[in-house]
């Protein structure tokens, strides 16, 4: 069995690179057909990943984070009016399309100040704890 560090390194390697700018936009079609925001240019449509490939989504109605690990919505972690940025406890997190190891563009959580990947882990109370990693994102062209 691989160690947690080994797995994290492997998954980070799948998403990391060095890159410049780029942007992401979303499509909130206003219908109740799909509960989550669909990110334009994201090969995973509504899924957003962190540095360790944990999967999240943002509800189309509230704009708040859904964590597939916990099966819960976090109403303290929501999109801003800009649409491609979320706030968690005042900490801004950008949602942008980045290149995966397969070359596909996937939406990921990025620190807007450093362009580094965000990692979200769960604390002992199953709350999301946000970390900025040392790995830079390789943004997909807009």
């Amino acid at each position: 069995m691989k160690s947690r560090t080994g797995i994290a390194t492997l998954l980070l390697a799948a998403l990391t690179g060095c890159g410049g700018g780029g942007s992401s936009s979303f499509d909130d079609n206003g219908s109740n057909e799909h509960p989550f925001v669909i990110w334009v240019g994201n090969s995973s449509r509504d899924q957003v990943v962190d540095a360790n490939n944990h999967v999240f989504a943002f509800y189309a109605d509230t704009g708040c984070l859904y964590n597939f690990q916990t099966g819960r919505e976090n109403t303290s972690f929501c999109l801003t009016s800009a649409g491609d940025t979320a706030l968690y406890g005042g900490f801004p997190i950008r949602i942008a399309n980045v290149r995966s190891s397969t070359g596909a563009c996937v939406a990921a959580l990025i620190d807007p100040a450093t362009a580094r990947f965000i990692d979200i882990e769960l604390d002992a109370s199953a709350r999301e704890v946000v970390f900025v990693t040392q790995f830079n994102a390789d943004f997909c062209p807009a």
Side-chain angles (χ1 to χ4, degrees), residues 64-134:
C64 295
L65 183 88
Y66 175 77
N67 186 328
F68 284 93
Q69 292 178 90
T70 64
R72 293 191 314 254
E73 178 179 17
N74 185 338
T75 58
S76 297
F77 196 138
C78 302
L79 294 171
T80 66
S81 60
D84 67 347
T85 304
L87 285 177
Y88 183 48
F91 184 77
I93 298 171
R94 181 175 170 215
I95 296 87
N97 289 327
V98 299
R99 289 214 189 278
S100 70
S101 61
T102 65
C105 291
V106 297
L109 302 169
I110 306 294
D111 175 31
T114 64
R116 292 182 174 170
F117 283 97
I118 296 291
D119 179 30
I120 299 176
E121 295 296 331
L122 299 176
D123 69 10
S125 299
R127 293 175 299 197
E128 286 89 6
V129 180
V130 174
F131 300 95
V132 177
T133 70
Q134 64 186 12

Side-chain angles (χ1 to χ4, degrees), residues 21-23 97 99 105 138-142:
S23 65
N97 289 327
R99 289 214 189 278
C105 291
D138 180 11
F139 294 98
C140 293

Side-chain angles (χ1 to χ4, degrees), residues 3-18:
S3 71
R4 180 172 167 79
T5 304
I7 292 170
T9 302
L10 176 66
L11 291 171
L12 280 169
L15 288 173
T16 57
C18 53

